[in-house]
Amino acid sequence: MPTAGSMDRIISVLRPTIVGRDDFNEPRYEWLPVHRVWAGKKQNSEAERFDEHTKERYGFSAVTFKTRYIAVYVTDRVICEGTQYDVKGVREIGRREGVEIVCEAQT
């Protein structure tokens, strides 16, 4: 369970939400905030990758956020200190005591 002292950053969890329809009656999505909570941040790794499709190198940063239990899905995004992260995995801590959110940001 994360302690109050270890949760020293505020994160926003964003979820794609249907906000209307386009001219072809397809749903139009926007990323809207669903949670704003205190969390702890642990830097996992930083490296470079090569994209086979675009033939370009790009950097990425993998981090884990630990917070009290909230509902988070791998389709969500996290914003922390101006950086946007894609959620790659979610692990429950204990019995709904907390949650670890594994994220990756492209730089």
Side-chain angles (χ1 to χ4, degrees), residues 47-67:
E48 285 187 355
R49 290 189 180 158
F50 183 75
D51 189 347
E52 292 292 332
H53 299 293
T54 61
K55 305 295 185 202
E56 293 180 350
R57 287 187 182 272
Y58 66 93
F60 77 96
S61 175
V63 299
T64 299
F65 295 102
K66 232 183 227 190
T67 187

Side-chain angles (χ1 to χ4, degrees), residues 12 14 19 22 27 30 36 39 57 65 69 72 77 80-81 100 104-105 107:
S12 294
L14 306 175
V19 294
D22 64 11
E30 284 187 19
R36 184 173 162 88
R57 287 187 182 272
F65 295 102
Y69 184 83
V72 181
R77 288 184 180 165
C80 179
E81 299 173 338
E100 285 184 346
E104 185 176 288
T107 56

